[in-house]
Amino acid sequence: MKNLSKYITKTAQSFLIITSFATFSVLANGDIGEHVNHLSDNIKKYEEEVNWLSTKVDGIVSTYQKSGAKAAHPDALMEHWEAVDFHAAIESNYVLIYASIWQGLYGVKGSIDKNSPIADVKAEQVKLERAFWQALGAVKMAAKFQDQGLLAKVKTTDEAPKNSLEALVVIDKNIHSVVAKYAEQLTDTATTMVHDTYLNLFEGVEGELIVLDANLVEDLEKDFNVTLPLAIKNNKSVDEVREIVTAMSKKLTKAKLLLENKAKTKKDVF
């Protein structure tokens, strides 16, 4: 528990850094439920759901140990995860851990499907359990920020960015969502998100950025059109895809700073 506490604390610190830059509304896919805009009121329910999920996972692993893969019905892991409201709470507030949970779900399922030794299955179970509790810690931290008015209301419909700076924020959110969809093994969806983000958003800011840093624009073009989609096509690991996205995110941060400095310089001139 001591190590788990440190893990959640580290997550909370990371979450603080991320939310300090999140001056935009989280745009979620589909009907996610109004509960995500009232996190504090639902923390107890989320805790109950995480405990319920842990019990279900443990039951599947125990059944596998006693009766084998067919009796364990590992497909139920995904069904249980998608059945709880906590699923939407973490997806709409911290997509990084959301992807880790899917990675963990498929880690357990894959081990059972391959009839792996029980020690290997339980090792995957530990990773999944850690992701569950890490996610709960992040949601609790998000609830505090939300109560302080530091988080924008979660919206269920997309709105077009009003300027290039807003577009870069949405682009960054989208590429992190690509990791989540890839972790869900929704390869076609992930690939489509990459292409749509490039065509509908990044191409719109290229002209403004290219005069500030042509090499940066060229690097991001390659990332969007070659590096990231190729990694998905070649079935690279979730961690490898995440590394590509993390590198892209750093480039987008640089692009954002360039645009902010340009706007400041223009304001100072006038």
Side-chain angles (χ1 to χ4, degrees):
M1 290 299 294
K2 185 177 180 181
N3 290 334
L4 181 58
S5 177
K6 289 182 178 179
Y7 203 66
I8 292 176
T9 300
K10 185 177 180 180
T11 299
Q13 292 170 342
S14 299
F15 187 80
L16 175 61
I17 293 170
I18 290 173
T19 51
S20 67
F21 293 99
T23 57
F24 57 95
S25 298
V26 180
L27 305 176
N29 296 320
D31 184 10
I32 58 173
E34 185 59 23
H35 66 92
V36 298
N37 288 312
H38 306 280
L39 296 175
S40 291
D41 295 338
N42 290 280
I43 290 297
K44 183 177 179 181
K45 179 176 70 172
Y46 298 150
E47 289 178 339
E48 291 172 350
E49 289 178 339
V50 170
N51 280 306
W52 179 79
L53 286 166
S54 296
T55 299
K56 289 296 183 182
V57 174
D58 194 58
I60 288 171
V61 173
S62 296
T63 300
Y64 171 68
Q65 185 174 16
K66 295 174 183 177
S67 308
K70 187 175 181 180
H73 185 39
D75 288 343
L77 289 165
M78 290 69 183
E79 296 170 10
H80 295 324
W81 169 239
E82 293 179 338
V84 298
D85 284 342
F86 183 64
H87 171 273
I90 191 62
E91 181 181 12
S92 58
N93 283 286
Y94 202 2
V95 75
L96 299 177
I97 302 179
Y98 177 78
S100 296
I101 289 175
W102 277 101
Q103 193 173 0
L105 290 167
Y106 277 106
V108 175
K109 180 182 182 300
S111 292
I112 293 175
D113 286 340
K114 292 185 293 186
N115 290 302
S116 301
I118 189 60
D120 293 347
V121 176
K122 287 187 174 181
E124 295 297 332
Q125 180 185 2
V126 168
K127 296 177 186 177
L128 176 57
E129 293 277 356
R130 184 181 294 128
F132 281 150
W133 291 105
Q134 183 187 17
L136 182 61
V139 170
K140 287 181 177 179
M141 183 61 68
K144 293 181 180 179
F145 289 134
Q146 193 178 73
D147 291 343
Q148 296 169 17
L150 299 177
L151 292 183
K153 185 176 181 179
V154 176
K155 299 179 181 179
T156 58
T157 56
D158 289 349
E159 294 179 357
K162 298 180 181 65
N163 52 54
S164 295
L165 283 172
E166 288 188 7
L168 288 175
V169 170
V170 176
I171 290 168
D172 192 51
K173 176 194 74 68
N174 284 359
I175 61 173
H176 281 96
S177 294
V178 166
V179 181
K181 293 306 174 186
Y182 186 65
E184 288 182 58
Q185 299 193 359
L186 298 175
T187 304
D188 290 343
T189 300
T191 301
T192 298
M193 287 179 69
V194 175
H195 292 317
D196 286 353
T197 298
Y198 175 76
L199 292 173
N200 300 328
L201 290 169
F202 188 73
E203 280 201 333
V205 302
E206 278 184 329
E208 191 171 357
L209 280 174
I210 202 165
V211 297
L212 300 173
D213 193 330
N215 290 331
L216 178 62
V217 172
E218 184 177 344
D219 283 348
L220 281 166
E221 284 183 328
K222 182 180 178 182
D223 290 335
F224 274 112
N225 294 296
V226 181
T227 311
L228 184 52
L230 196 60
I232 294 171
K233 181 181 179 181
N234 291 338
N235 296 313
K236 296 293 186 180
S237 70
V238 175
D239 288 337
E240 288 174 307
V241 172
R242 184 183 285 112
E243 286 178 6
I244 294 170
V245 166
T246 298
M248 291 176 68
S249 185
K250 291 178 181 178
K251 295 173 188 176
L252 290 169
T253 297
K254 181 179 179 180
K256 184 172 178 288
L257 290 173
L258 289 172
L259 291 179
E260 288 174 340
N261 289 334
K262 176 188 173 185
K264 185 178 182 299
T265 300
K266 185 177 179 180
K267 182 178 179 181
D268 290 342
V269 169
F270 290 97

